[in-house]
């Protein structure tokens, strides 16, 4: 069997394959040429013996700029990386391999790229060579970075929100997370509520009502209730507004419950209602009294007219 030469022919293997099997070598060549991942074969002198079409297409170079050149001098020296050199030298001297070796390269036309390198020493060919398979993971790494930033932002919002937030697994109906504001409101620790159902928390006063509310949430994906009474661990009572949504995150269903403490608002509303009721009563009293005063003034005027001497 044979491998590729710089001229596009073949490298003869140590044990030359009978003519009947040369078709297998051509078959292998076809597979290599149709790989979507860039591939290089270099000699022990680090000069490129072969590059597949994917390599030329990915890095925007030609065979003339690649074949016969030392790998470290390709392009404008992007591959001249000390750790990469060390790894290749170990492969040459120890007949070793390396897998998923990540390097960051900068190309004039492509910009920065992140690639994974996998290398093997080919012992059964003459001359001996090193096969390097290159996987461009730039887009994947950028997506991971964006996801990480998104998770950091969400966690920051979650931790600093001025509403209580509960995250519940809809499959098990168990609490899987709670933010600091909610824990401060109900005076429970996270360890005391994680893994429990909503109505198992001592803070929920009306368990039947809570179960009914959760059934509606599971059925419709959304609920909103006001004036729900809860009690903190230290016995303090609160009225809360409860808004909950069910939505998918990365293919997994999640329930998010936003719990807003409206105790002060409700107290202010009750105080305002009492004040308005008092004003209405006073208005009625004043309205009646005003009519009486008008009638009294009229009677006094009539009496004055009767008592005044006639001319």
């Amino acid at each position: 069997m044979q491998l590729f030469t710089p001229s596009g022919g073949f490298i003869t293997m140590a044990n030359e394959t009978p003519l009947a099997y040369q078709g297998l070598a051509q078959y292998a060549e076809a597979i290599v040429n149709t790989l979507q991942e860039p591939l290089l074969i270099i000699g022990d002198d680090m000069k490129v013996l072969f590059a597949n079409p994917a390599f030329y297409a990915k890095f925007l170079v030609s065979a003339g700029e690649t074949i016969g050149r030392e790998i470290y001098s390709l392009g404008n020296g992007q591959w001249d990386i000390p750790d990469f050199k060390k790894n290749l030298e170990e492969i040459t001297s120890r007949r070793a391999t390396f897998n998923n070796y990540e390097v960051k390269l900068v190309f004039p036309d492509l910009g920065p790229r992140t690639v994974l390198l996998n290398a093997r020493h080919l012992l059964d060919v003459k001359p001996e060579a090193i096969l390097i398979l290159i996987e461009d993971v730039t887009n994947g790494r950028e997506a991971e970075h964006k996801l990480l930033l998104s998770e950091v932002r969400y966690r920051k919002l979650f931790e600093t929100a001025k509403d209580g937030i509960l995250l519940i697994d809809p499959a098990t109906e168990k609490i899987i997370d709670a933010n600091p504001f909610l824990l401060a409101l109900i005076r429970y620790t996270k360890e005391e509520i994680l893994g429990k159902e909503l109505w198992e928390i001592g803070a929920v006063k009306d368990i039947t009502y809570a179960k009914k509310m959760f059934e509606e949430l599971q059925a419709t994906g959304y609920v909103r209730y006001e004036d729900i009474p809860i009690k903190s661990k230290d016995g303090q009572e609160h009225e809360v507004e409860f808004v909950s949504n069910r939505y998918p995150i990365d293919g997994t269903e999640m329930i998010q419950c936003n719990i807003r403490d409206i105790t002060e608002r409700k107290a202010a509303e009750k105080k305002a209602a009492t004040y308005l009721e008092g004003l209405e009563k006073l208005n009625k009293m004043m309205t009646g009294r005003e009519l009486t005063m008008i009638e009294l003034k009229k009677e006094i005027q009539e009496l004055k007219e009767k008592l005044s001497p006639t001319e």
Side-chain angles (χ1 to χ4, degrees):
M1 191 176 294
Q2 300 170 312
L3 285 176
F4 313 98
T5 68
S7 61
F10 293 98
I11 301 171
T12 304
M13 296 181 61
N15 298 317
E16 189 172 340
T17 307
L19 184 61
Y21 291 95
Q22 289 185 3
L24 186 58
Q26 295 174 350
Y27 180 65
E29 179 183 8
I31 292 175
V32 169
N33 283 334
T34 55
L35 281 176
Q36 293 185 355
E37 293 82 8
L39 180 144
L40 285 177
I41 296 177
I42 63 175
D44 285 347
D45 59 359
M46 300 300 149
K47 291 184 178 180
V48 179
L49 302 175
F50 172 82
N52 71 341
F55 181 88
Y56 300 131
K58 169 61 69 175
F59 300 112
L60 305 178
V61 292
S62 66
E65 297 170 303
T66 307
I67 301 301
R69 292 186 59 184
E70 190 178 58
I71 187 170
Y72 309 126
S73 67
L74 295 181
N76 60 354
Q78 297 94 345
W79 302 92
D80 191 5
I81 303 170
D83 284 346
F84 181 45
K85 279 186 175 182
K86 181 180 178 181
N87 285 331
L88 285 181
E89 288 171 0
E90 288 185 357
I91 287 180
T92 303
S93 60
R94 302 180 184 180
R95 306 301 188 258
T97 64
F98 61 76
N99 298 304
N100 295 326
Y101 173 63
E102 184 172 315
V103 296
K104 297 183 185 298
L105 308 171
V106 179
F107 297 90
D109 297 324
L110 297 174
R113 311 302 294 177
T114 302
V115 299
L116 295 181
L117 304 178
N118 292 272
R120 297 287 183 277
H121 199 284
L122 303 176
L123 301 176
D124 295 330
V125 299
K126 295 297 181 181
E128 292 184 6
I130 298 172
L131 184 147
I132 304 174
L133 188 65
I134 305 163
E135 180 184 0
D136 187 352
V137 295
T138 306
N139 293 338
R141 291 293 185 266
E142 289 177 353
E144 290 173 2
H145 181 65
K146 289 179 181 178
L147 178 60
L148 178 61
L149 290 179
S150 177
E151 290 174 349
V152 169
R153 291 191 190 103
Y154 173 80
R155 177 53 59 176
K156 186 174 182 179
L157 290 172
F158 181 81
E159 297 289 345
T160 59
K162 297 305 179 183
D163 286 342
I165 302 175
L166 275 178
L167 297 181
I168 299 175
D169 183 345
T172 63
E173 300 184 353
K174 304 287 186 181
I175 296 170
I176 60 176
D177 207 353
N179 75 333
F181 189 89
L182 178 69
L183 298 174
L185 177 66
I186 63 178
R187 306 295 183 186
Y188 283 85
T189 66
K190 185 178 289 189
E191 290 72 22
E192 288 176 310
I193 68 172
L194 292 184
K196 292 185 178 181
E197 296 177 345
L198 182 61
W199 45 87
E200 291 179 323
I201 304 176
V204 179
K205 294 180 64 176
D206 191 336
I207 294 177
T208 302
Y209 186 72
K211 288 184 176 181
K212 180 181 177 181
M213 179 178 63
F214 202 79
E215 288 174 0
E216 181 183 349
L217 171 61
Q218 289 280 47
T220 65
Y222 174 82
V223 293
R224 180 189 180 97
Y225 289 94
E226 290 192 6
D227 305 332
I228 296 180
I230 64 172
K231 181 184 290 187
S232 63
K233 192 176 181 179
D234 59 6
Q236 188 174 0
E237 295 190 352
H238 301 270
E239 290 183 82
V240 300
E241 177 185 75
F242 185 94
V243 180
S244 185
N245 294 274
R246 177 173 176 167
Y247 55 87
I249 300 179
D250 295 331
T252 302
E253 289 288 319
M254 184 68 63
I255 290 175
Q256 178 173 318
C257 306
N258 288 55
I259 302 167
R260 176 169 295 177
D261 186 3
I262 57 174
T263 306
E264 292 184 1
R265 190 185 83 189
K266 286 297 180 181
E269 289 176 354
K270 289 178 182 179
K271 185 175 181 180
T274 301
Y275 180 70
L276 288 174
E277 184 179 355
L279 286 178
E280 289 177 358
K281 289 180 179 179
L282 180 61
N283 184 54
K284 288 180 181 179
M285 292 174 59
M286 293 302 295
T287 300
R289 182 174 295 179
E290 183 180 355
L291 291 174
T292 301
M293 292 298 293
I294 292 173
E295 292 174 355
L296 180 59
K297 287 180 180 180
K298 183 178 179 181
E299 290 178 1
I300 291 173
Q301 183 63 33
E302 290 177 351
L303 182 60
K304 284 182 178 181
E305 289 175 356
K306 288 180 181 180
L307 294 176
S308 62
T310 57
E311 294 182 358

